[in-house]
């Protein structure tokens, strides 16, 4: 029973089918450059868009939490 399970399982291969170029030295050079830019914006336009989207969602979430806290803290009028 166990032999059948082991035989039918796929084996993970360590061989690389497609060789990708090593971009690490280029990225290291880019991110270690002393040009006064914050590291989270050195990646270009995509980093700037992701940063702004993240900050926008964070601010909206914070505003929603504050609104809900104020709404929970203020007693409702009973009619």
């Amino acid at each position: 029973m166990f032999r059948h399970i082991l035989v039918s399982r796929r084996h993970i291969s360590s061989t690389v089918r497609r060789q990708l170029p090593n971009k690490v030295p280029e990225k290291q050079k880019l991110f270690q450059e002393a040009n006064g830019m914050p590291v989270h914006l050195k990646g270009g336009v995509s980093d700037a868009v992701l940063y702004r989207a993240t900050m926008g969602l964070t601010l909206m979430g914070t505003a929603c939490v504050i609104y809900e806290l104020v709404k929970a803290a203020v007693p409702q009028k009973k009619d």
Side-chain angles (χ1 to χ4, degrees), residues 4 10 13 28 31 39 44-45 51-52 57 59 61-62 64-66 68-69 73-75 79:
H4 181 273
R10 285 188 176 182
S13 175
Q28 283 177 336
F31 285 103
V39 71
V45 174
Y51 174 74
R52 288 187 179 134
L57 288 170
L59 290 173
T62 303
C64 287
V65 167
I66 291 172
E68 291 296 328
L69 285 172
V74 175
D79 290 328

Side-chain angles (χ1 to χ4, degrees), residues 14-48:
S14 62
T15 60
V16 178
R17 292 186 181 148
R18 177 171 43 138
Q19 193 69 15
L20 299 174
N22 186 6
K23 297 180 184 178
V24 173
E26 298 168 16
K27 294 291 185 180
Q28 283 177 336
K29 190 182 246 185
L30 173 72
F31 285 103
Q32 291 175 355
E33 219 173 71
N35 59 3
M37 272 182 105
V39 71
H40 58 274
L41 296 178
K42 284 188 178 185
V45 174
S46 61
D47 278 356

